[in-house]
Amino acid sequence: MEELVKIIKSGGVVAFPTETVYGLGADAWNPDAVTAVFNVKGRPSDNPLIVHVAEKNGAYDFATAVPEDAERLMEAFWPGPLTLILIKKPEVLDIVTAGLPSVALRMPNHGLALEFIRRTGPLVGPSANRSGGPSPTTAAHVKDDFGAGFPVLDGGACGIGLESTVLDVTREPYTIYRPGAISADEISAVLRKDVRHLLPGKENFTAVASPSPGLKYTHYAPAAAVRWLDPGESARDPETLYLFHTHGSGSTKNSIHYRGDYTALARELYDRFRQADKQGFTKIAVEPFPEQVQSGGNTIIPALKNRISKAAGL
Ligand code: TXA
Ligand code: MG
């Protein structure tokens, strides 16, 4: 940890664990360090970064006019997988927000991450993968993308496995740009207000019109072609890795059965994507989610649907 803190303080880039996925950390106040993050990832410069803080008060160094609703959400869900979009202070670096008037903030629910950020100061933290590919959920994934020598704070496997919910609270109705482990219903319950989902097709977003620039890019995709399974289709093709969650019984060489454990599917999804590439599968087919399983505690399903659809290029 000591060594890695020094790297950040001297303007370097270090991957760190969170409860969602690994992030690519750099000093949020150092423009050269933030530039290095974009370069390492190969990330388009119009896609803004999330600033990670180690305490709720840290948000006030970046956001101005924090509405009461945002404070309620921080109280309810921080530390945790909820990123809040707030109006930024003028001194927040333009490169962090890609020139937007708003800034994305989150406090991760991960002891090692919080200890690290307490020592480094606030960190920008896009997912620590090459731009466009699946996010990393282990230190080994990060090293697969950036090389064995890349500095990673190893916190083991991430507990959730899908990126945080991104919620815009700069104007009402509040909008979820990216679904995550914290659902619209949970947010609504705290605020007693409707929260809407923005789950657009790529075609609805242009460089100028997109409220959350990340939405218009391809994301989360392995080299294998991802698609939704056709109704009634079975695991016939040996070149396809099949991911089932209701059908089937035991797992086979090319099929994995989650038996209703959506939390496990979320936690392992990106690892399955990455392993499929290593094992030489050219295709991945995922069983679609029935509408009715979205309630009843399966709050991760909208996020799963979103990531799989995006990986499929839909
Ligand atoms: O769980 C997570 O959020 C992980 C971990 C490492 O914290 N981080 C992560 O960062 O997923 P990234 O950069 O891969 O995704 C950030 C998303 C992008 O879709 C980006 O466009 C959006 O947040 N975003 C960032 N700042 C924004 C802003 N000011 N307005 C709208 N969207 C913003
Ligand atoms: Mg990402």
Side-chain angles (χ1 to χ4, degrees):
M1 162 101 55
E2 204 59 57
E3 286 301 304
L4 298 174
V5 170
K6 275 187 204 148
I7 295 177
I8 296 283
K9 287 194 168 165
S10 59
V13 178
V14 172
F16 64 100
T18 79
E19 79 280 34
T20 59
V21 301
Y22 275 71
L24 206 52
D27 179 354
W29 293 115
N30 179 335
D32 294 334
V34 178
T35 303
V37 168
F38 280 93
N39 292 339
V40 167
K41 271 196 70 117
R43 182 173 175 116
S45 61
D46 66 350
N47 193 1
L49 306 179
I50 298 172
V51 175
H52 295 67
V53 294
E55 51 179 23
K56 288 167 199 157
N57 276 339
Y60 298 86
D61 295 335
F62 293 86
T64 185
V66 178
E68 215 176 286
D69 283 344
E71 289 182 332
R72 270 198 211 115
L73 294 174
M74 288 181 205
E75 236 8 88
F77 299 114
W78 281 16
L82 177 67
T83 295
L84 295 173
I85 310 283
L86 291 159
I87 301 294
K88 80 174 189 84
K89 284 195 162 170
E91 57 267 36
V92 177
L93 298 174
D94 276 336
I95 186 174
V96 170
T97 65
L100 292 174
S102 58
V103 62
L105 288 158
R106 122 170 169 88
M107 178 181 175
N109 186 18
H110 193 287
L112 199 59
L114 292 175
E115 188 189 338
F116 189 55
I117 300 166
R118 265 193 291 274
R119 290 162 74 165
T120 58
L123 296 177
V124 294
S127 50
N129 52 282
R130 287 191 185 283
S131 203
S135 296
T137 54
T138 65
H141 291 164
V142 178
K143 290 180 185 265
D144 282 346
D145 275 18
F146 299 124
F150 196 85
V152 186
L153 180 63
D154 191 344
C158 300
I160 293 175
L162 300 180
E163 303 80 355
S164 61
T165 305
V166 176
L167 178 72
D168 185 345
V169 286
T170 62
R171 57 177 166 248
E172 300 194 41
Y174 302 144
T175 305
I176 292 180
Y177 291 148
R178 182 177 71 185
I182 308 234
S183 68
D185 286 349
E186 288 171 284
I187 295 165
S188 287
V190 168
L191 299 181
R192 297 165 190 279
K193 284 181 184 177
D194 278 343
V195 173
R196 61 176 187 152
H197 264 281
L198 194 77
L199 296 176
K202 261 191 286 195
E203 65 284 359
N204 298 333
F205 284 82
T206 64
V208 284
S210 173
S212 186
L215 290 170
K216 69 176 185 287
Y217 294 108
T218 302
H219 281 299
Y220 322 116
V226 177
R227 67 176 173 84
W228 291 108
L229 194 80
D230 292 325
E233 189 184 342
S234 59
R236 243 174 291 109
D237 174 17
E239 278 188 34
T240 299
L241 173 70
Y242 295 87
L243 299 179
F244 294 102
H245 42 81
T246 56
H247 298 152
S249 45
S251 296
T252 66
K253 238 173 140 180
N254 70 327
S255 71
I256 298 153
H257 297 260
Y258 280 92
R259 294 196 186 86
D261 191 347
Y262 301 103
T263 308
L265 176 56
R267 193 170 57 233
E268 295 179 7
L269 184 73
Y270 292 140
D271 186 59
R272 296 289 181 203
F273 280 6
R274 284 167 176 268
Q275 280 198 36
D277 285 347
K278 284 193 172 170
Q279 292 165 348
F281 290 107
T282 57
K283 288 160 273 177
I284 299 170
V286 188
E287 184 189 344
F289 300 95
E291 290 304 321
Q292 66 270 24
V293 296
Q294 284 194 39
S295 55
N298 295 314
T299 55
I300 199 71
I301 287 177
L304 269 169
K305 272 187 174 173
N306 169 261
R307 303 310 191 276
I308 294 160
S309 283
K310 291 234 166 181
L314 301 172

